[in-house]
Amino acid sequence: MTGSTSWSIGELAAQAGVTVKTVRFYSDQGLLPETGRSSGGHRRYGREALGRLRMIRSLRTLDLPVPDVGRALDRDDALEGLVADRLRELRPQLTALRWREAALHLLTDCAPDERARRLDLIGAMGLPPDTDVLARFWRRWLFPARLPAPLLAGIVDTAVPAPSHDPTPAQVLAFGRLRAIATAPCPPDRLARPPAPKRFGDGFRPAVLYSGLKEAYDLAAPELRAGRAPAGGEALDRFVGAWAEAGGARDSETFRHRLTGVLADEPRLDHYWDVVSELATPSGAAPEPTPGAAEAWLREALTSTAGDPEEDLRVRSD
């Protein structure tokens, strides 16, 4: 430091450990005011310029844009908001990097003959995965049921897992499998067979059904966690009751027997829910019950407890 009351551009650059070009740039941007000019027309800076220049350098190291740096210098209360904004911008970028890292590990931790398949899954879904594809799959599957928007949104939210901000290679693979399931052509038997609710006729109330099914799945979840075999009880009663109420029928032995003929396995959905369970279950823990697992448990419970028909169930056909 010299004994003068001001520095030349070169002296300031040397004190701050930056180049003269850097000092000139920030001066031209209005971030580093000059105190005046020398007799030869050269820029002069006051001693406070050193602290200001160091602050500029620190903020730019954080990749704050030059206009934001100016706001942080001019207003004491601006920095906190600017940092918060920058963090919000960085989070999706960091998430994308973590998904790429996990995908790279997924490719290194497999046999060469498996690598091509995994590459196909990764390339098709993108990183991070696009869950809109999964949401569209569920909306198509539930169509033509006209459900209230909140109920439909709740079903889709339950069925579409949220991608982790710090995924594992196994999660990358799972989301790739979910997308493959969701985008696969609809099986021919699915095209030939109308959905079960449609087979109850035009008076069927899908909103009543799906609201009741959610309650039944919630009641069945503890049974699945405990590893109990499918059996009658409150969960099965609510399951059957949802179907009966939606179709304007009465729960009876006859209804239950005929309902077993209306319901059918959906291998595609079963596979989807198995993968969702993998995503939801911590390593080494028992599988986390999903609506798909609860549905399968309840269907099996219905089949094992349904009696013989005594009269025809009055179900309207299309």
Side-chain angles (χ1 to χ4, degrees):
M1 180 181 298
T2 69
S4 63
T5 58
S6 64
W7 283 313
S8 69
I9 191 170
E11 290 171 334
L12 178 59
Q15 288 290 331
V18 299
T19 64
V20 169
K21 182 178 180 181
T22 297
V23 177
R24 184 176 292 113
F25 172 77
Y26 291 134
S27 292
D28 292 342
Q29 295 297 314
L31 300 181
L32 206 58
E34 307 163 17
T35 58
R37 295 270 175 159
S38 68
S39 58
H42 300 295
R43 308 180 199 220
R44 305 295 297 184
Y45 298 90
R47 295 172 183 269
E48 69 281 356
L50 179 58
R52 191 175 177 92
L53 182 54
R54 285 173 173 164
M55 176 65 78
I56 293 170
R57 185 175 59 181
S58 297
L59 294 174
R60 290 293 291 152
T61 299
L62 296 174
D63 205 27
L64 262 67
V66 169
D68 287 347
V69 171
R71 284 194 287 273
L73 291 169
D74 294 338
R75 289 178 46 196
D76 293 338
D77 60 346
L79 182 57
E80 185 175 351
L82 292 169
V83 170
D85 290 343
R86 186 64 184 136
L87 283 172
R88 281 191 291 270
E89 293 171 5
L90 283 176
R91 284 188 187 111
Q93 299 174 32
L94 292 173
T95 297
L97 288 173
R98 292 185 185 113
W99 274 90
R100 291 172 194 164
E101 180 184 26
L104 290 170
H105 283 300
L106 181 67
L107 295 176
T108 59
D109 298 338
C110 67
D113 57 350
E114 173 69 8
R115 193 164 293 139
R117 186 183 76 87
R118 292 187 176 187
L119 272 171
D120 285 343
L121 291 176
I122 292 169
M125 73 173 174
L127 298 172
D130 178 12
T131 56
D132 288 345
V133 174
L134 307 183
R136 287 195 295 272
F137 165 73
W138 279 98
R139 291 191 177 96
R140 286 197 308 270
W141 195 278
L142 293 169
F143 186 82
R146 302 191 184 281
L147 301 177
L151 178 58
L152 178 60
I155 294 172
V156 173
D157 286 347
T158 300
V160 178
S164 169
H165 293 294
D166 191 10
T168 64
Q171 289 172 330
V172 175
L173 181 59
F175 270 96
R177 290 164 60 198
L178 286 179
R179 190 188 190 284
I181 294 168
T183 56
C186 198
D189 64 326
R190 171 73 183 179
L191 295 172
R193 186 182 73 253
K198 187 65 176 175
R199 297 170 68 186
F200 278 82
D202 294 335
F204 193 80
R205 296 178 294 170
V208 173
L209 171 66
Y210 288 108
S211 294
L213 290 181
K214 181 183 184 306
E215 296 175 10
Y217 298 158
D218 290 342
L219 291 169
E223 306 294 323
L224 273 75
R225 289 192 181 95
R228 297 189 183 100
E234 186 180 8
L236 180 59
D237 290 345
R238 188 67 194 97
F239 180 71
V240 175
W243 282 97
E245 292 164 17
R250 182 178 61 86
D251 183 359
S252 65
E253 289 297 324
T254 299
F255 181 86
R256 293 190 177 214
H257 182 85
R258 294 296 299 273
L259 185 60
T260 62
V262 172
L263 302 180
D265 292 340
E266 295 284 3
R268 188 178 187 181
L269 293 189
D270 292 342
H271 186 198
Y272 183 101
W273 284 117
D274 286 344
V275 179
V276 170
S277 181
E278 292 176 17
L279 283 167
T281 303
S283 179
E288 183 65 22
T290 64
E295 168 81 18
W297 190 94
L298 290 164
R299 283 202 311 261
E300 189 173 344
L302 176 64
T303 301
S304 64
T305 59
D308 293 331
E310 297 176 357
E311 61 183 10
D312 287 339
L313 173 69
R314 290 188 289 274
V315 176
R316 290 164 292 178
S317 59
D318 290 336

